[in-house]
Amino acid sequence: MMKLSKNVLLVLITIFCTQAFSDKLMIDDFVWTDNAKLDLLFQQRITPTDPPEVPVRAVAEFEPASAVIIRYPLGIPTSFVALLSQEIEVICIVEDTWDQNQAQSAFDSAGVNNDNLSYITADSDSYWTRDYTSWFIVNGNNELSVLNFEYNRPRPNDNDFPQAFAQNYNYPYYAMNIEQTGGNFMTDGYGIAASAHIAYTENGNNQTLVNTTMEQYMGITNYMVIQDPNNTYIDHIDCWGKFLDVDKVLIREVPQSHPQYDEIEEVANYFASTNSSWGYPYEVIRVYTPNDQPYTNSLILNDRVFVPQTGSSWDDEAIETYENAMPGYRIFGVTNNTYNPWESTDALHCRTHEIPDRNMLSIQHYPKFGNVDDELVSIEAIILALSGEEIYSDSTIVYYKDDSATNWEYATLEYQGDNLWSTEIGPFETGQMIEYYLHSADEHGNSEDYPFIGSAQPFKFLYTADNNENLPPAIDFEAITSIQNDQLPLEILCSVTDPENNLASVSLFYNVNGDSTSVFLSNVEDDIYSVDWDVQYNPNGNNDISYRIEATDDLGLTSMTPNYQLNLVVDNNDNQVNPAFGFSSLYPNPFNENLHMTFYAKENKQLIKVYNLKGQLVKEISSNAKIGKTANVRWNGKDDSGNRVSSGVYYLVLESGNQRDVRKVLMLK
């Protein structure tokens, strides 16, 4: 009887708090960020800690996992628990022995593998373990750690759980003083993360506070906070999008008749025009959700992907979408016929949470892509054994082949220090498409491929080195696709190289509202060419603007970039919103010879500091760009003494006035 009374009381409290929270989300005038009102709801607040040791890195969902955490009473079918337990440990939160006995009885009936089942006794308020059971980071001591935050729901037991979990399993524990929720966060493991807009609005719209905190506690140097396109109360990113890999993002798709069609397409276009951490735009995969099916609310556990099924005629197509997007992975559809079925705002991902392998063999590598014209191709990777065990040098290799070949060749990577491993492959025949993937193993017993799925989804690049034939000039250019009229003239800056022949010309070809013309770029230094383009636009209407760059050598060989569309935002009322402070582009990244940096100047003086992974200052670069103009700065990969720095990861810190922006780049030799 006491047990029943307690459950009834918890249900009543949950209903009351959920209703209050739902009302809060739907009433724009409710001042949710008022600290006094906030404290009334959050009677137990977490105690912030100091940030973790640097460098710190947030772990992505698609990295190696050792367990998944759920809660009893369940929000998922017991058959799904059995499926999970086939290959990974399932950790179930229970409140007491009575709960555990009830859970065990249900699990035994469903055929759950008890060898992969364990319990943690702790108070909880809900089964939404995604939202409250912490995020995971790797701190500067290479330890997998628990990161807590102020849970954005009035559920004090859920809010307390991460610290109890860390203590129970002996994890390093950190807590940051901002509100977050697990379902509204995804990261690529390389310093990029994405969330819907409540990441800001629930923290008083203090974007500087949120961005700085995410960087200090998680190593997030590029936080993409996006207006939620679904227009529902929940505002969680997993209801409409999901990182499938560092360079792949899944976005829901709806018919044009859907009320949120324009907003969802805008988000898809945003990612398609945004560079991933690997230096090229995201591959955007669309999954069709005409009736708001929760297909993006899926769970990745190593090489298995679990996708919610609703009984819709579009279920099979959703499974096929995942299969095409993630070759080599095993895709499972999961139906929920319990009293708590999947919903468009609450499905499989919301009710589970992967736990990364605390002894993982972590491999990070910036892949070669596009055209690669080096005769010997350098392959480098940062490899960390979080177990502390030694990495087998004879098992740290790169497999490679022409994409038409059957058998893989391999080369052993050599240790360079500071967790950096490298080798060279090639030469190949010009025009070959080369596929490759990395492999490593350690004495803890880990054996990992990278990409995680290995040969089923290898990296690819086109080998264009000149093997006894003349090739046209190579153009390295990062396109600018949007600009405001008060930023004109637009500086076009690119790198053009031709190791065998002399360049005859580098030109900008452009078309503005049907009028085409061209202008030469000037050689400003080394292989850098530039021109100030004063776009003659129509100030009273829409403008159709496109452009490209062409380079021709003295043999008449020509290369050109694609045609880029330029979106010109015209404001005739002198109330333009200036671009945000920080780096607008870093290219190429990874870089070899020169790194080009652009940013919007908000003060007359700017300073860029370059730090290595040990936190040592290696270079200071000053800039005196005028306020309101875009600054263009180059780093030649040398320290303040003029010596070439070693290969590896470096942090760029842009300082101007009291503002600061931090980015991560990879230097390759």
Side-chain angles (χ1 to χ4, degrees):
M1 181 64 66
M2 287 297 294
K3 183 69 183 180
L4 179 61
S5 298
K6 182 168 62 172
N7 278 346
V8 170
L9 180 61
L10 286 174
V11 169
L12 291 174
I13 292 173
T14 301
I15 291 173
F16 172 78
C17 294
T18 302
Q19 184 61 46
F21 191 81
S22 299
D23 291 344
K24 178 275 298 182
L25 284 167
M26 292 186 287
I27 300 175
D28 293 336
D29 293 333
F30 188 94
V31 186
W32 180 245
T33 55
D34 185 298
N35 287 335
K37 293 181 180 179
L38 200 61
D39 287 336
L40 288 176
L41 290 176
F42 292 96
Q43 296 179 11
Q44 288 182 278
R45 299 181 63 87
I46 64 170
T47 302
T49 68
D50 290 334
E53 300 82 353
V54 295
V56 58
R57 184 179 73 85
V59 180
E61 181 177 334
F62 41 77
E63 295 189 55
S66 61
V68 61
I69 191 163
I70 63 174
R71 179 263 202 182
Y72 188 88
L74 298 172
I76 57 177
T78 53
S79 58
F80 179 38
V81 181
L83 181 59
L84 292 171
S85 71
Q86 288 179 2
E87 299 180 24
I88 201 167
E89 181 185 5
V90 177
I91 300 175
C92 183
I93 304 169
V94 292
E95 185 172 323
D96 49 31
T97 302
W98 191 90
D99 267 352
Q100 180 171 333
N101 291 338
Q102 294 296 310
Q104 187 63 57
S105 176
F107 293 156
D108 287 342
S109 297
V112 172
N113 178 8
N114 286 320
D115 291 337
N116 282 338
L117 176 64
S118 61
Y119 295 93
I120 176 171
T121 302
D123 291 335
S124 63
D125 302 312
S126 71
Y127 52 61
W128 292 294
T129 56
R130 171 65 49 183
D131 288 345
Y132 65 81
T133 56
S134 87
W135 292 334
F136 290 88
I137 58 174
V138 177
N139 66 18
N141 297 323
N142 297 331
E143 300 169 308
L144 187 71
S145 307
V146 165
L147 177 66
N148 199 4
F149 46 81
E150 194 68 50
Y151 181 30
N152 74 338
R153 290 290 192 271
R155 300 175 186 141
N157 291 319
D158 289 349
N159 205 23
D160 288 342
F161 177 80
Q163 187 167 12
F165 177 81
Q167 292 171 347
N168 191 79
Y169 288 93
N170 196 29
Y171 282 96
Y173 171 82
Y174 304 94
M176 54 185 181
N177 191 26
I178 58 174
E179 282 185 48
Q180 288 282 15
T181 181
N184 191 36
F185 177 79
M186 60 182 184
T187 183
D188 66 351
Y190 281 75
I192 287 180
S195 296
H197 65 276
I198 60 170
Y200 286 156
T201 59
E202 291 186 339
N203 289 285
N205 267 323
N206 191 336
Q207 298 183 20
T208 300
L209 169 67
V210 173
N211 292 346
T212 300
T213 303
M214 296 293 283
E215 179 186 340
Q216 291 177 336
Y217 285 81
M218 304 192 75
I220 301 301
T221 55
N222 184 3
Y223 195 21
M224 299 186 290
V225 178
I226 302 161
Q227 183 67 32
D228 190 282
N230 277 357
N231 193 31
T232 61
Y233 78 93
I234 194 74
D235 291 329
H236 285 190
I237 199 169
D238 63 2
C239 296
W240 52 265
K242 185 181 189 68
F243 281 154
L244 303 181
D245 207 336
V246 178
D247 61 344
K248 288 183 180 180
V249 61
L250 179 73
I251 302 294
R252 67 175 298 213
E253 184 178 12
V254 296
Q256 289 189 1
S257 58
H258 193 284
Q260 299 306 118
Y261 172 81
D262 289 340
E263 290 83 354
I264 293 170
E265 290 306 300
E266 183 178 349
V267 168
N269 291 334
Y270 167 80
F271 278 103
S273 60
T274 300
N275 278 355
S276 69
S277 288
W278 285 342
Y280 51 85
Y282 287 100
E283 177 185 355
V284 178
I285 296 102
R286 308 303 298 276
V287 59
Y288 196 52
T289 60
N291 302 115
D292 301 333
Q293 292 91 338
Y295 298 138
T296 61
N297 206 270
S298 59
L299 173 68
I300 302 173
L301 286 176
N302 299 322
D303 68 342
R304 296 190 296 170
V305 184
F306 303 96
V307 182
Q309 303 281 272
T310 63
S312 162
S313 59
W314 300 102
D315 283 355
D316 290 342
E317 183 175 310
I319 295 295
E320 185 177 353
T321 297
Y322 276 89
E323 290 174 341
N324 292 335
M326 306 179 75
Y329 286 81
R330 294 173 291 159
I331 314 299
F332 297 85
V334 180
T335 301
N336 186 358
N337 293 322
T338 69
Y339 291 111
N340 303 295
W342 307 138
E343 300 176 12
S344 61
T345 56
D346 170 26
L348 186 155
H349 189 256
C350 300
R351 308 178 191 186
T352 58
H353 199 307
E354 73 289 342
I355 299 177
D357 182 358
R358 69 191 308 172
N359 295 309
M360 78 167 70
L361 182 59
S362 170
I363 304 175
Q364 287 205 303
H365 165 68
Y366 289 85
K368 304 294 181 182
F369 63 92
N371 296 345
V372 176
D373 57 8
D374 297 325
E375 183 178 3
L376 293 176
V377 181
S378 176
I379 303 295
E380 296 185 315
I382 301 293
I383 305 178
L384 291 172
L386 299 192
S387 65
E389 300 290 346
E390 292 295 321
I391 296 172
Y392 290 119
S393 58
D394 59 351
S395 296
T396 301
I397 55 185
V398 54
Y399 290 97
Y400 63 94
K401 69 178 181 69
D402 172 17
D403 66 348
S404 64
T406 302
N407 297 322
W408 294 88
E409 300 181 58
Y410 71 91
T412 302
L413 280 73
E414 297 183 359
Y415 185 58
Q416 306 298 325
D418 291 333
N419 304 309
L420 179 67
W421 296 72
S422 68
T423 191
E424 292 181 328
I425 58 175
F428 307 102
E429 292 186 15
T430 302
Q432 280 187 328
M433 182 66 73
I434 304 301
E435 299 180 336
Y436 75 97
Y437 68 96
L438 303 175
H439 177 82
S440 189
D442 64 22
E443 293 184 3
H444 185 75
N446 292 309
S447 180
E448 299 290 349
D449 291 336
Y450 197 79
F452 182 83
I453 208 64
S455 61
Q457 199 174 348
F459 300 118
K460 295 183 179 182
F461 65 86
L462 182 65
Y463 186 73
T464 57
D466 186 359
N467 292 332
N468 300 320
E469 64 174 282
N470 288 309
L471 293 175
I475 303 173
D476 185 3
F477 173 63
E478 182 166 319
I480 299 171
T481 57
S482 183
I483 193 172
Q484 295 179 176
N485 60 324
D486 69 334
Q487 294 176 269
L488 296 176
L490 171 62
E491 182 181 22
I492 299 295
L493 190 71
C494 66
S495 171
V496 184
T497 55
D498 194 331
E500 294 188 358
N501 305 303
N502 295 320
L503 283 171
S505 65
V506 179
S507 304
L508 169 70
F509 288 80
Y510 57 88
N511 185 296
V512 180
N513 298 324
D515 294 330
S516 298
T517 189
S518 64
V519 62
F520 290 116
L521 277 71
S522 300
N523 186 202
V524 292
E525 65 170 298
D526 298 333
D527 56 357
I528 305 302
Y529 290 78
S530 175
V531 68
D532 287 335
W533 177 21
D534 191 8
V535 182
Q536 301 301 307
Y537 61 92
N538 176 7
N540 299 313
N542 295 326
N543 290 275
D544 183 11
I545 305 173
S546 63
Y547 69 101
R548 71 178 186 276
I549 296 173
E550 292 190 7
T552 303
D553 63 21
D554 55 7
L555 293 182
L557 298 173
T558 299
S559 59
M560 67 182 69
T561 67
N563 276 312
Y564 301 106
Q565 290 293 129
L566 179 65
N567 176 35
L568 181 64
V569 179
V570 178
D571 190 334
N572 296 319
N573 298 318
D574 296 326
N575 61 348
Q576 296 91 345
V577 178
N578 290 327
F581 174 79
F583 291 105
S584 56
S585 68
L586 298 167
Y587 72 94
N589 185 19
F591 74 100
N592 177 262
E593 295 291 337
N594 293 299
L595 175 70
H596 302 281
M597 301 167 277
T598 62
F599 54 87
Y600 180 79
K602 291 197 169 186
E603 302 284 347
N604 280 325
K605 292 185 178 181
Q606 308 88 38
L607 182 65
I608 299 172
K609 296 180 180 179
V610 183
Y611 294 88
N612 61 22
L613 277 176
K614 296 179 180 179
Q616 299 168 325
L617 178 65
V618 299
K619 181 70 175 180
E620 287 191 355
I621 306 168
S622 61
S623 169
N624 294 308
K626 294 181 180 179
I627 294 176
K629 296 297 182 182
T630 298
N632 295 279
V633 181
R634 180 175 67 93
W635 179 39
N636 60 5
K638 296 181 180 179
D639 60 21
D640 280 328
S641 300
N643 300 316
R644 186 85 167 157
V645 300
S646 60
S647 296
V649 174
Y650 290 85
Y651 289 91
L652 305 178
V653 181
L654 171 63
E655 297 179 349
S656 180
N658 60 356
Q659 299 184 94
R660 186 171 178 265
D661 186 30
V662 181
R663 299 295 177 90
K664 183 167 60 176
V665 296
L666 179 64
M667 165 76 172
L668 301 178
K669 288 187 178 180

